[in-house]
Amino acid sequence: MQTNIKEYDESFDLPQALQKKGTKEYGFIHLAQRANGSWVNIPIMLAVGAQDGPTLVVDACNHGDEYEGTEGIIKTFEGLDVSKMKGSFIGIPALNAEAFAEMKRYNTLDFVTQDLNRIYPGGTGPMTAYVCSWYCENIIKKADAVICIHGGGNSEYLEPVVLYCGEESPVAYKSREMAQCFGFKVLWKNTRYAENSGIEDEYAYQMGIPCITPEIGGQCTRMYQRDEHKQMLETGIRNVMTLLGILEGSVPANEGVHHYDIDYIYNRNGGIHVPVKKAMDSVRKGDTLSIITNLFGEEVDRVIAPFDGVVIGYWTYSVCPPHGWVYMVGKPVDGE
């Protein structure tokens, strides 16, 4: 089978690649060689517009089991006409490619497991930290805007939601514009932004780069909503490209959006998890969110809403571990 896959090494230079006006190419950036001779890679897709303009970076699979973003990036790349673009689209369909290949959240090549989206801007080792460091220095810092796609992975249901920075600054304002135009009806206003948090979007803010985090899908939705979610992501990415002026046209209005500040709710005891409240259910402080039983059907824990709000996501495995997050509940906030 013939392939058009390019091979790049660690010296890959994004500004130089962006000089190839009106071109599309894709390939693997080789970062380190395993003992068996194969490579640890970052996959990259480059759609360079015929005219100068902003550079948008879109990545997926910081967590290897969150595949919706991967397919959304591929679908977007395939549909782009670079002859009509003013600027560039850089797609990273599986940043944590090792975890992606193993269908797991984390990369098991690391002797001590690392959560890629908690260690930005990375470091010299272990491997996941190095991937993060290379990506920050060579891709993120060269971007004008970033979209970091996440999802429910193998264990949770999420109402489609877009996170943006809630600080009052030019970068936060642009991030809010990007979130607003993406097309999802639930927006997550992050009021807990902190420097050195290790999270990609907050690292981007720190670098002065607007960034949003769409979260969509998960194992429990893939049978029936896989194509729908791919389309939603392509539409959202193209909306942001239009907002930035990379694509021609006007950004569609996104009416009826809801802004929330979202908290993770944790259980005490593990067991068989029975959700009582589902996505977009309104809850009052003191309401039962879920009931947890032991192997004999006896109740061992009850997860209670700590405040009034709306359910955004919840744990969908039948069994939950102790002291793990089992619900995401949003407090309505002003989106301005």
Side-chain angles (χ1 to χ4, degrees), residues 65 103-105 152-157 218-220 222 271-275 290-292 314-321 325-326:
D65 62 340
M103 299 174 287
K104 295 179 179 177
R105 185 174 177 87
N154 290 338
S155 60
E156 70 175 296
Y157 174 82
Q219 186 60 35
C220 58
R222 286 170 186 154
I272 299 172
H273 182 248
V274 182
S290 62
I291 297 169
I292 301 171
Y314 59 96
W315 185 263
T316 55
Y317 270 177
S318 297
V319 176
C320 63
W325 73 263
V326 287

Side-chain angles (χ1 to χ4, degrees), residues 10-23:
E10 286 181 277
S11 66
F12 175 83
D13 187 309
L14 182 58
Q16 183 178 1
L18 296 181
Q19 295 306 308
K20 301 177 184 178
K21 302 299 183 186
T23 63

Side-chain angles (χ1 to χ4, degrees), residues 277 282-290 302-307:
K277 298 293 187 179
S282 295
V283 297
R284 305 285 293 179
K285 180 178 180 179
D287 283 355
T288 297
L289 298 175
S290 62
R302 186 172 287 242
V303 182
I304 303 299
F307 50 79

Side-chain angles (χ1 to χ4, degrees), residues 211-259:
C211 180
I212 58 173
T213 301
E215 301 225 25
I216 187 172
Q219 186 60 35
C220 58
T221 66
R222 286 170 186 154
M223 181 177 293
Y224 298 110
Q225 292 180 280
R226 183 171 174 176
D227 289 339
E228 176 189 353
H229 287 168
K230 281 193 289 185
Q231 184 60 61
M232 289 173 69
L233 286 170
E234 181 191 18
T235 298
I237 293 167
R238 291 182 71 96
N239 286 349
V240 172
M241 293 178 72
T242 303
L243 175 74
L244 297 175
I246 299 173
L247 297 180
E248 294 181 346
S250 56
V251 179
N254 187 13
E255 305 292 345
V257 297
H258 302 280
H259 298 255

Side-chain angles (χ1 to χ4, degrees), residues 15-316:
Q16 183 178 1
L18 296 181
Q19 295 306 308
K20 301 177 184 178
K21 302 299 183 186
T23 63
K24 293 172 81 171
E25 66 179 54
Y26 49 84
F28 288 107
I29 302 169
H30 300 320
L31 294 186
Q33 195 169 40
R34 299 185 190 85
N36 65 6
S38 62
W39 288 91
V40 176
N41 298 303
I42 293 179
I44 189 167
M45 311 175 86
L46 302 117
V48 184
Q51 300 181 57
D52 290 335
T55 297
L56 173 66
V57 171
V58 186
D59 63 56
C61 277
N62 266 270
H63 300 133
D65 62 340
E66 298 174 0
Y67 311 116
E68 284 73 12
T70 301
E71 294 192 300
I73 288 170
I74 294 170
K75 184 173 174 60
T76 301
F77 179 81
E78 290 175 342
L80 290 174
D81 181 349
V82 291
S83 70
K84 299 179 180 179
M85 286 170 50
K86 297 179 180 179
S88 300
F89 168 89
I90 310 302
I92 310 293
L95 178 59
N96 198 343
E98 302 303 311
F100 170 84
E102 294 190 7
M103 299 174 287
K104 295 179 179 177
R105 185 174 177 87
Y106 309 125
N107 172 16
T108 58
L109 279 180
D110 296 327
F111 185 73
V112 176
T113 302
Q114 303 247 304
D115 184 331
L116 176 54
N117 201 40
R118 298 297 184 274
I119 62 170
Y120 280 82
T124 56
M127 191 67 234
T128 299
Y130 181 70
V131 168
C132 182
S133 176
W134 191 96
Y135 183 56
C136 288
E137 290 299 317
N138 295 279
I139 305 296
I140 289 183
K141 286 185 177 180
K142 310 295 171 60
D144 294 297
V146 175
I147 300 174
C148 174
I149 305 175
H150 284 258
N154 290 338
S155 60
E156 70 175 296
Y157 174 82
L158 272 176
E159 190 69 15
V161 58
V162 186
L163 180 147
Y164 67 92
C165 180
E167 295 288 299
E168 295 305 321
S169 67
V171 67
Y173 179 75
K174 179 57 71 174
S175 299
R176 185 166 65 244
E177 278 191 310
M178 291 165 60
Q180 181 80 26
C181 82
F182 201 82
F184 292 0
K185 296 303 180 184
V186 176
L187 304 186
W188 180 349
K189 183 177 182 178
N190 178 14
T191 62
R192 298 172 181 82
Y193 161 71
E195 293 186 359
N196 305 314
S197 68
I199 297 173
E200 181 180 354
D201 53 19
E202 298 188 7
Y203 169 76
Y205 300 152
Q206 194 172 337
M207 295 296 103
I209 302 166
C211 180
I212 58 173
T213 301
E215 301 225 25
I216 187 172
Q219 186 60 35
C220 58
T221 66
R222 286 170 186 154
M223 181 177 293
Y224 298 110
Q225 292 180 280
R226 183 171 174 176
D227 289 339
E228 176 189 353
H229 287 168
K230 281 193 289 185
Q231 184 60 61
M232 289 173 69
L233 286 170
E234 181 191 18
T235 298
I237 293 167
R238 291 182 71 96
N239 286 349
V240 172
M241 293 178 72
T242 303
L243 175 74
L244 297 175
I246 299 173
L247 297 180
E248 294 181 346
S250 56
V251 179
N254 187 13
E255 305 292 345
V257 297
H258 302 280
H259 298 255
Y260 297 99
D261 187 7
I262 299 174
D263 276 353
Y264 290 91
I265 312 301
Y266 289 77
N267 61 324
R268 174 180 171 82
N269 297 315
I272 299 172
H273 182 248
V274 182
V276 174
K277 298 293 187 179
K278 303 296 177 62
M280 300 310 293
D281 283 350
S282 295
V283 297
R284 305 285 293 179
K285 180 178 180 179
D287 283 355
T288 297
L289 298 175
S290 62
I291 297 169
I292 301 171
T293 69
N294 62 21
L295 289 171
F296 306 101
E298 299 169 334
E299 183 176 322
V300 295
D301 199 2
R302 186 172 287 242
V303 182
I304 303 299
F307 50 79
D308 297 349
V310 173
V311 173
I312 304 299
Y314 59 96
W315 185 263
T316 55

